[in-house]
Amino acid sequence: ASEMWLTIFVNDDGPGIAPEHREAVFLPFRRLSGLRETPGEGMGLALVRRTVEGVGGRISVDSLAPEGRGTTFTIVWPRHVALLFAPP
């Protein structure tokens, strides 16, 4: 039987992520903006990637930068894991 997947798309209309930085956003303690511009430590996407990959899923990023604005994160989550958290 083939694995069934749940795909989640998260979009924003921010400035986007340049191609050369798209992998770096998933590294711990890496931030693309200056420390004073946006609060945080640079751990959010690193933790998301570790969690998603830890259950056999994957996460990717696509962005319109530098030509335009907006970013889409795609999370592909194993359906059997998603069903564990579904309401009865």
Side-chain angles (χ1 to χ4, degrees), residues 17-39:
I17 302 169
E20 63 270 19
H21 298 298
R22 291 185 191 156
E23 192 58 33
V25 299
F26 296 108
L27 298 174
F29 305 111
R30 279 305 215 12
R31 297 170 44 107
L32 298 183
S33 64
L35 290 176
R36 295 174 194 231
E37 293 176 32
T38 308

Side-chain angles (χ1 to χ4, degrees), residues 12-76:
D12 76 26
D13 61 354
I17 302 169
E20 63 270 19
H21 298 298
R22 291 185 191 156
E23 192 58 33
V25 299
F26 296 108
L27 298 174
F29 305 111
R30 279 305 215 12
R31 297 170 44 107
L32 298 183
S33 64
L35 290 176
R36 295 174 194 231
E37 293 176 32
T38 308
E41 300 300 324
M43 287 297 296
L45 289 172
L47 291 172
V48 170
R49 176 176 259 181
R50 185 176 185 130
T51 301
V52 169
E53 290 179 351
V55 296
R58 58 191 181 277
I59 183 170
S60 61
V61 61
D62 189 32
S63 185
L64 298 174
E67 294 83 20
R69 295 180 62 84
T71 299
T72 301
F73 289 91
T74 303
I75 302 166
V76 181

Side-chain angles (χ1 to χ4, degrees), residues 6 77 79-88:
L6 173 67
W77 197 261
R79 190 155 178 89
H80 73 276
V81 174
L83 291 175
L84 293 174
F85 299 101

